[in-house]
Amino acid sequence: MCNNLSESYAKVLEKWEKMTITSDPMFGMVMQNKEICLELINRALPQLKATQIVQLATQKDINVVAGRRVRYDVYVQDEKGNIIVVEMQVADRQNLPYRLRYYQEQIDHGLLLPGESYQSLRQHPTYVIIFCDFDYFGYGWARYMFEMACTRNPQLKLGDQRTIVVFNALAKEFTNDEQPIKNFLALMRNRVDNESKFITKIQNEIVKVKEDPERRRGFMKFELDLMDARREGELKAEEKGKQKLVKFLSSQKTAPSEIVAALVNVYQMTEKAAQEYVAEYMKIRK
């Protein structure tokens, strides 16, 4: 037990030390620095020209009564009432459009109070920015921006003030208005622009976070608790599987020695432990 705990602690500590800006926990902790967060938003959405962050939350739960809980990496409201959600996505789970659809819906759930007019949403244009370490749409573009438009006339916008921006860290070509975000996308690929003050700020913040004992303790506790929960779940699932296997083989009038052999083979139990397990089952069944 002690060895398992030491191994788990070592693994979590190694994970902490190796975290980069693309790690969800590290991205959130770096974005708690309002100066860095504001600059990243303005580089991603230069048209906003945001000057102040009024509300900033990382790992923010939205609409916890929904069928599926949404937890945003970064949730921001600027001085103009714009709501900006920023996400880091490393794994391509082939569900990005549907995930973004759900995100947009949940943002509005959090903004509109019961009985309040839909018109109130005009005060809060929403922007979902997602930084991807893959090119989901496959065009090689650095930035994909989506707004609702008419299929007959794409120039006719729905005007619901919802915008989705997807960045592709694999991009090799950048338009003029994508240049400000270029070095951040490079950082996602572990290519550090040492001449950029912005990137230097981020790198310094990462070092600062990793040297913070309180943040390290919080991360370690969360990860160790998560590992314990997973281990407990795996043990429960294994126990359920053993019970089903023994019950099925018993119903087929399988010899106890063969049931023992099956447990040893499937669950890598020792022969003695398997014999005791089968004996206990037979005892309870009587």
Side-chain angles (χ1 to χ4, degrees):
M1 181 68 177
C2 184
N3 286 339
N4 288 339
L5 184 60
S6 297
E7 287 175 11
S8 297
Y9 187 89
K11 284 180 182 178
V12 174
L13 184 58
E14 183 182 14
K15 183 176 180 180
W16 171 260
E17 294 296 340
K18 287 185 174 180
M19 280 200 301
T20 66
I21 195 63
T22 58
S23 306
D24 277 351
M26 182 57 68
F27 180 66
M29 285 184 278
V30 169
M31 289 302 116
Q32 287 173 3
N33 182 317
K34 285 188 176 183
E35 184 181 336
I36 292 175
C37 186
L38 184 63
E39 185 165 354
L40 180 62
I41 287 170
N42 279 325
R43 284 171 177 256
L45 296 168
Q47 73 273 23
L48 279 190
K49 296 180 172 59
T51 60
Q52 183 183 358
I53 290 179
V54 175
Q55 180 186 355
L56 170 63
T58 57
Q59 297 299 315
K60 178 180 174 63
D61 283 321
I62 294 290
N63 193 27
V64 295
V65 297
R68 174 166 182 155
R69 174 175 292 186
V70 171
R71 177 171 287 178
Y72 300 130
D73 287 346
V74 182
Y75 181 97
V76 167
Q77 181 176 330
D78 71 5
E79 79 284 359
K80 299 170 190 171
N82 295 309
I83 303 298
I84 306 117
V85 166
V86 190
E87 287 279 308
M88 181 65 68
Q89 185 72 23
V90 175
D92 182 2
R93 304 189 188 283
Q94 297 294 311
N95 64 2
L96 189 64
Y98 308 106
R99 180 175 183 169
L100 291 167
R101 168 179 161 180
Y102 196 67
Y103 277 17
Q104 282 279 16
E105 178 195 359
Q106 297 309 310
I107 293 173
D108 288 342
H109 271 296
L111 291 171
L112 201 62
L113 299 174
E116 198 170 4
S117 168
Y118 293 118
Q119 198 76 359
S120 302
L121 293 176
R122 291 186 62 184
Q123 301 170 28
H124 300 290
T126 62
Y127 299 84
V128 177
I129 304 169
I130 187 160
F131 290 99
C132 297
D133 199 15
F134 52 90
D135 185 2
Y136 186 88
F137 300 102
Y139 284 86
W141 302 343
R143 178 175 61 196
Y144 300 87
M145 185 175 290
F146 301 92
E147 294 177 346
M148 291 285 284
C150 178
T151 56
R152 186 170 179 176
N153 177 9
Q155 299 303 313
L156 176 59
K157 304 293 183 182
L158 181 62
D160 59 353
Q161 297 182 300
R162 292 187 301 165
T163 303
I164 289 175
V165 186
V166 179
F167 284 100
N168 162 33
L170 302 182
K172 292 182 172 57
E173 296 182 4
F174 297 80
T175 62
N176 288 337
D177 62 345
E178 291 166 353
Q179 290 299 321
I181 205 68
K182 181 178 180 180
N183 52 20
F184 182 79
L185 297 182
L187 181 64
M188 289 176 61
R189 305 291 295 168
N190 292 320
R191 295 170 186 161
V192 182
D193 182 358
N194 292 314
E195 296 182 2
S196 167
K197 291 182 180 178
F198 177 54
I199 297 302
T200 300
K201 279 182 194 175
I202 292 175
Q203 291 294 82
N204 289 341
E205 191 68 17
I206 290 174
V207 171
K208 182 180 174 182
V209 166
K210 287 184 178 179
E211 290 178 347
D212 185 339
E214 188 174 335
R215 280 171 157 170
R216 184 174 62 246
R217 277 195 300 270
F219 173 80
M220 304 264 314
K221 183 180 184 306
F222 175 81
E223 288 291 321
L224 289 169
D225 287 348
L226 188 61
M227 288 172 74
D228 285 343
R230 285 173 179 164
R231 193 176 294 115
E232 186 178 338
E234 288 169 1
L235 289 173
K236 285 181 179 177
E238 183 176 301
E239 177 60 25
K240 195 171 182 180
K242 288 177 184 176
Q243 291 175 2
K244 283 186 176 180
L245 177 61
V246 174
K247 183 178 181 181
F248 172 74
L249 292 178
S250 296
S251 70
Q252 300 300 306
K253 302 190 182 332
T254 306
S257 60
E258 291 183 24
I259 299 176
V260 168
L263 286 172
V264 171
N265 183 51
V266 175
Y267 293 101
Q268 286 74 54
M269 298 175 71
T270 64
E271 187 169 349
K272 182 181 179 182
Q275 288 172 345
E276 290 174 353
Y277 193 91
V278 173
E280 184 65 23
Y281 175 83
M282 298 300 181
K283 181 180 176 183
I284 293 172
R285 198 175 68 162
K286 287 180 181 179

